[in-house]
C-alpha cells in the first residue's frame, strides 16, 4: 500500500507501507510524522489484517475523517481520502494488497519521489473458528466462513461491512453505507455506529437487509 500525504493540496510525503502496523501522529518517532498542531502525538494507526488494511483513531483530540465522516475504525479501500488535522492522506491499495516481505522494520518516510523502506505484515489468527449463518436474505443453511483475517459482507453500492478476525475474537466493522453515509451495521437491533463491535455467539447481524447469526464451532 502507498500513502501520499497532502497539505493545502500539495503532496509532501510518499510512504510505502508493507509492515503490519504504522502509527500516524505529531511525535517525531511516529512511523508517519505530521507536523501539525491539530494532530495528536499518536493520532491514528493503520494495521494490515490478513487481506486488508484497518484505520483506527487512537483517541485523538480532533478525530479522523474519511470522505468527510468521522470514524473510529474503518476498513480502507483504494483511493480513500483520510483527513487528519489539516493534512490529507490518499490511500492507494493495489490488487495484490498482501505485503511482499516479512522484515519487521519501521517504514522510512522521505521527501516525495525518494525511496522508502519496504517491510511486511504478520498474519493474525484466532483460536476459534467462527462463521455467519444466514437468517434472512440467503439460502437456508448457507454460511459465511470467517477463516480470513478480514471478511466482507453485504451488497456493494447498498451497504458493506467487514468482520475482522483477531486473537481475542471477531469484530464487526462498518465499511460503506451506500447512499446513506450514516448507515452502519445492526447487531441485536442496534446500529454499531463507526466503532468496531466484538461479536458474541448468537448475535444477530443485519447488513444491506440481509441477516446472519454469529456462530462458533
Amino acid at each position: 500500500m502507498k500513502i501520499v500525504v497532502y497539505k493545502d493540496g500539495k503532496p509532501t510525503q510518499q510512504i510505502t507501507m508493507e509492515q503490519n502496523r504504522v502509527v500516524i501522529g505529531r511525535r517525531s518517532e511516529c512511523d508517519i510524522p505530521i507536523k501539525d498542531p491539530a494532530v495528536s502525538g499518536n493520532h491514528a494507526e493503520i494495521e494490515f489484517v490478513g487481506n486488508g488494511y484497518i484505520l483506527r483513531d487512537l483517541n485523538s483530540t480532533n478525530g479522523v475523517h474519511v470522505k468527510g465522516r468521522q470514524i473510529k475504525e474503518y476498513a480502507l479501500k483504494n483511493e480513500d481520502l483520510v483527513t487528519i488535522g489539516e493534512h490529507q492522506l490518499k490511500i492507494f491499495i493495489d490488487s495484490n494488497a498482501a505485503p511482499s516481505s516479512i522484515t519487521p522494520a519501521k517504514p522510512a518516510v522521505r521527501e516525495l519521489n525518494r525511496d522508502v523502506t519496504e517491510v511486511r505484515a504478520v498474519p493474525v489468527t484466532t483460536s476459534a473458528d467462527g462463521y455467519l449463518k444466514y437468517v434472512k436474505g440467503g439460502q437456508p443453511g448457507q454460511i459465511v466462513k470467517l477463516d480470513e483475517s478480514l471478511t466482507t459482507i453485504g451488497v456493494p453500492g447498498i451497504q458493506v461491512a467487514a468482520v475482522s478476525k483477531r486473537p481475542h475474537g471477531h469484530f464487526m466493522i462498518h465499511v460503506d453505507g451506500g447512499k446513506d453515509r450514516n448507515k452502519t451495521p445492526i447487531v441485536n437491533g442496534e446500529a454499531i455506529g463507526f466503532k468496531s463491535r466484538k461479536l458474541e455467539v448468537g448475535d444477530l447481524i443485519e447488513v444491506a437487509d440481509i441477516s446472519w447469526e454469529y456462530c462458533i464451532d
Side-chain angles (χ1 to χ4, degrees), residues 19-83:
Q19 73 179 55
N20 64 317
R21 177 178 180 265
V22 295
V23 175
I24 306 161
R26 195 175 66 251
R27 293 177 178 171
S28 59
E29 61 266 28
C30 287
D31 302 294
I32 304 178
I34 297 179
K35 295 180 180 179
D36 181 342
V39 175
S40 299
N42 290 333
H43 197 106
E45 68 175 7
I46 298 175
E47 182 180 12
F48 180 81
V49 183
N51 59 353
Y53 293 88
I54 303 298
L55 170 68
R56 298 188 186 94
D57 185 347
L58 297 178
N59 297 316
S60 64
T61 300
N62 293 310
V64 179
H65 296 77
V66 178
K67 294 181 289 190
R69 186 188 69 242
Q70 186 168 355
I71 63 93
K72 288 296 183 181
E73 186 163 293
Y74 177 81
L76 288 167
K77 302 185 296 295
N78 186 42
E79 297 192 1
D80 271 340
L81 187 65
V82 179
T83 300

Side-chain angles (χ1 to χ4, degrees), residues 164-177:
S164 172
K165 182 180 180 182
R166 306 179 190 175
H168 46 292
H170 290 92
F171 288 75
M172 176 64 61
I173 304 170
H174 167 73
V175 175
D176 183 20

